[in-house]
Amino acid sequence: MASFFKGPSSAAAAASSTSSPLYSLPSALSFAFNGQQSFTWLYTTIAIVLALLILEQTVYRAKKRHLPGDKWTIPIIGKFANSMNPDMDEYKKQWNSGFLSAISVFNIFIVMSSSKDYSRKILNSPTYAEPWLVHAAKHILLPENWVFLTGKDHVDYRRGLNNLFTRKAIGMYISIQDAVTRKHFKEWAVDFGTTAQPLMFPARFLNMDTSLRVFCGNHIPDEATRLISDKYWDITKALELVNFPLPLPGTKIYKAIQARKAAMYWLELAARTSKKEMANGGEPSCLLDEWVKLLADPSYKGRRDLTDHEMALVILSFLFASQDAMSSGLVYGFQHIADHPEVLAKVRAEQERVRQGDYEKPLTLELLDEMPYLQAVVKESLRVQPPVLMVPYKATKAFPISDDYTVPANSMLIPSFYNSLHDAEVYPEPDTFLPDRWLDPQSSANANPSNYLVWGAGPHRCIGVEYATLNMMLVLAMATTSFEWEHEITPKTNKIAILPTLFPADHCRMKFTPRKSA
């Protein structure tokens, strides 16, 4: 009976029981629809990613064509891991694969040249290629920096700067270099006098202090030279061949930008102060002063209205070269001479002949001109271990670099210098440090100047070749007469750190004891 009785509560219960499936049906349909939609998006996303990856490989293969290099590139990042930890053996492997070879990093297609002819062709083809340095360079050095100018704009700007490196100007710079070097050597006598210490950073600060005094004189205070030197190391680290491309806080590029801002504050101040002093009749005592006087000369035909910012940017670019390349060259100069006692003895003999035992007398341009053996030592050291292995360029348009290959527009081009400097036909025993090869005017080394790519070639060849060479000569000349040298050999001595300029992996551990005869 009870089972057949249907009161209000029973009816409601029945209604509820009957209606439940009707209310849940839309939810089930919605779930099924949303699930199907999610799967569709998933499949679509996967398909798009696969298509992009296939396109990436197809584009890479189409650009690479027959050039040596990996048949397939690692998706997205390419050779990024290799570029983060550059290794000489890896570079040599790439160079040995062919005169031209291809790689890809972060979808930047790169063509590397290993031969003298192709490297010089890149360096001497401003119609097709312009300096790129590295991807981060314009973030750091600023896009308006003169080093990024091309064509007539670059030629005109450089013509004005060439006047800053005349023999007369360099003679003035040498007196500054002499004074700064003697100051640092007093500190080295203490710091390096008891045990061997890494030379790299002290040599780097010596170069930075010297260059800042040559370029800016006393227009910046002493504390600024230390600040700029320390900060500039962040710029060096960020100018690797490939780096994380965005200047996000904490990245190398971000830190380098902050370093540039700190340096530019002092360099702009120096430019402003120099202008005031020269306007008040002061005599030039540094490169900036020479520049300001030059701009005021009625016979000067270039642009005159350079701002403090523009002049500071030029000094910033000069510091990059003098701090990195010159420091590398100087450290390896010390290492090569220390490891060859017979060379050290010859350098000292030449110093005695030229300076007549008067080592307190400041060095001059004329005295340095009388040191052909020391010049040969510096030139050979730079050949055996060039500070810079390569300088990246960018193909501004399709570049028919050879009869059977055209570099695609917007590709990175990397002319390499190492193989040219180690060509056994030009430099017999190419890996051996032999300064005497430069003393014979008829030697194959002197007969093939186009192989000597230490300073680059073409319209962007290093503007301060003589300045840098003479500075290295001056420091080494004074060091050979001031100290007894001891080089501590370590397992890393002959390994190369690429930072991006080259240094001994152990930073060249030296001990300097003041010479009794000095």
Side-chain angles (χ1 to χ4, degrees):
M1 292 287 293
S3 61
F4 292 98
F5 179 74
K6 296 181 179 179
S9 60
S10 297
S16 176
S17 174
T18 304
S19 63
S20 291
L22 296 175
Y23 285 108
S24 61
L25 182 60
S27 297
L29 288 171
S30 175
F31 174 79
F33 177 77
N34 289 334
Q36 184 178 9
Q37 190 176 40
S38 297
F39 280 123
T40 301
W41 277 108
L42 177 62
Y43 293 147
T44 302
T45 301
I46 292 173
I48 291 173
V49 170
L50 287 175
L52 289 174
L53 293 177
I54 292 171
L55 176 63
E56 176 188 41
Q57 301 298 326
T58 303
V59 170
Y60 169 72
R61 292 289 295 268
K63 289 182 176 179
K64 175 182 172 297
R65 292 177 55 204
H66 62 276
L67 291 187
D70 294 336
K71 292 182 178 179
W72 308 99
T73 182
I74 299 172
I76 302 174
I77 65 171
K79 291 271 190 179
F80 178 65
N82 296 51
S83 62
M84 287 296 290
N85 296 288
D87 180 83
M88 275 296 293
D89 290 337
E90 285 295 319
Y91 279 134
K92 288 179 180 179
K93 181 180 177 182
Q94 185 77 26
W95 295 331
N96 292 337
S97 68
F99 290 152
L100 294 173
S101 60
I103 59 173
S104 177
V105 180
F106 274 134
N107 281 320
I108 300 173
F109 183 71
I110 302 171
V111 175
M112 294 188 73
S113 158
S114 64
S115 76
K116 176 197 71 175
D117 292 336
Y118 283 130
S119 292
R120 291 188 70 88
K121 187 169 186 177
I122 295 168
L123 296 168
N124 284 286
S125 299
T127 303
Y128 292 101
E130 65 183 24
W132 196 356
L133 296 183
V134 295
H135 182 74
K138 289 188 178 181
H139 282 298
I140 299 167
L141 300 178
L142 294 181
E144 66 267 26
N145 200 308
W146 81 283
V147 298
F148 301 116
L149 294 175
T150 58
K152 186 177 184 300
D153 291 337
H154 176 264
V155 171
D156 291 343
Y157 207 107
R158 184 184 174 105
R159 185 180 294 116
L161 297 180
N162 283 336
N163 291 301
L164 304 178
F165 295 98
T166 61
R167 295 275 292 176
K168 178 184 176 183
I170 288 175
M172 179 180 70
Y173 304 157
I174 286 174
S175 66
I176 301 172
Q177 293 165 326
D178 182 281
V180 175
T181 301
R182 290 179 190 276
K183 180 188 73 173
H184 280 260
F185 277 7
K186 289 180 180 179
E187 297 173 3
W188 287 21
V190 176
D191 297 340
F192 291 86
T194 54
T195 59
Q197 301 292 329
L199 179 62
M200 179 181 135
F201 281 102
R204 184 179 164 277
F205 181 47
L206 165 61
N207 271 335
M208 180 62 80
D209 197 9
T210 299
S211 293
L212 280 169
R213 290 303 170 205
V214 166
F215 301 153
C216 302
N218 294 318
H219 301 318
I220 56 175
D222 288 341
E223 60 267 25
T225 63
R226 171 58 78 175
L227 173 69
I228 294 173
S229 180
D230 292 344
K231 290 285 186 181
Y232 221 100
W233 183 240
D234 285 333
I235 294 178
T236 298
K237 291 187 291 185
L239 289 172
E240 296 168 332
L241 182 59
V242 177
N243 224 321
F244 185 77
L246 301 177
L248 301 178
T251 62
K252 290 182 180 180
I253 298 178
Y254 178 85
K255 292 178 181 178
I257 291 172
Q258 304 314 305
R260 180 250 298 158
K261 290 178 180 178
M264 286 293 289
Y265 169 82
W266 292 106
L267 299 180
E268 288 183 30
L269 175 64
R272 187 159 56 252
T273 305
S274 175
K275 288 177 180 178
K276 290 179 180 178
E277 289 196 8
M278 294 303 100
N280 291 329
E283 286 297 318
S285 62
C286 65
L287 181 145
L288 271 175
D289 294 345
E290 283 285 333
W291 197 1
V292 172
K293 282 286 189 181
L294 175 69
L295 296 176
D297 189 331
S299 65
Y300 180 69
K301 297 181 180 179
R303 183 183 154 206
R304 299 172 182 273
D305 58 335
L306 294 172
T307 66
D308 300 338
H309 177 76
E310 289 172 313
M311 297 181 83
L313 277 181
V314 171
I315 302 301
L316 187 78
S317 69
F318 286 173
L319 286 177
F320 171 63
S322 62
Q323 181 265 100
D324 283 317
M326 203 158 70
S327 295
S328 169
L330 185 58
V331 170
Y332 270 111
F334 273 106
Q335 180 159 308
H336 286 139
I337 294 174
D339 291 347
H340 295 81
E342 74 285 359
V343 172
L344 178 56
K346 288 183 180 180
V347 171
R348 283 179 173 156
E350 183 177 68
Q351 292 302 301
E352 176 64 29
R353 176 182 62 79
V354 173
R355 300 166 71 183
Q356 300 291 305
D358 186 0
Y359 301 128
E360 294 303 315
K361 182 180 178 181
L363 284 168
T364 63
L365 181 57
E366 291 71 25
L367 286 173
L368 290 170
D369 284 341
E370 296 179 34
M371 301 175 187
Y373 185 73
L374 180 56
Q375 183 177 9
V377 167
V378 169
K379 193 167 186 176
E380 178 70 352
S381 181
L382 292 170
R383 183 199 67 79
V384 172
Q385 199 58 77
V388 178
L389 294 175
M390 59 195 76
V391 178
Y393 274 58
K394 178 182 179 181
T396 54
K397 57 184 176 181
F399 184 0
I401 195 169
S402 70
D403 292 338
D404 61 353
Y405 185 75
T406 297
V407 179
N410 298 314
S411 301
M412 182 185 284
L413 281 161
I414 303 183
S416 304
F417 307 150
Y418 190 86
N419 285 1
S420 299
L421 294 164
H422 287 76
D423 184 339
E425 293 185 6
V426 176
Y427 310 109
E429 299 181 67
D431 296 328
T432 304
F433 177 66
L434 298 172
D436 286 41
R437 73 171 85 241
W438 298 103
L439 299 177
D440 178 6
Q442 306 303 318
S443 70
S444 58
N446 283 312
N448 292 277
S450 61
N451 272 75
Y452 198 78
L453 288 174
V454 170
W455 310 103
H460 290 272
R461 184 174 183 265
C462 178
I463 195 172
V465 172
E466 190 172 14
Y467 166 77
T469 301
L470 290 170
N471 184 68
M472 284 184 269
M473 287 179 62
L474 180 144
V475 174
L476 292 171
M478 294 176 64
T480 57
T481 57
S482 299
F483 302 115
E484 299 293 350
W485 299 14
E486 293 181 42
H487 180 209
E488 181 182 291
I489 306 298
T490 75
K492 293 183 177 180
T493 293
N494 294 317
K495 295 185 182 298
I496 298 171
I498 304 174
L499 302 172
T501 46
L502 276 56
F503 288 93
D506 65 357
H507 295 181
C508 187
R509 297 181 63 84
M510 296 288 294
K511 178 182 176 183
F512 295 116
T513 306
R515 295 186 74 202
K516 294 180 181 179
S517 59

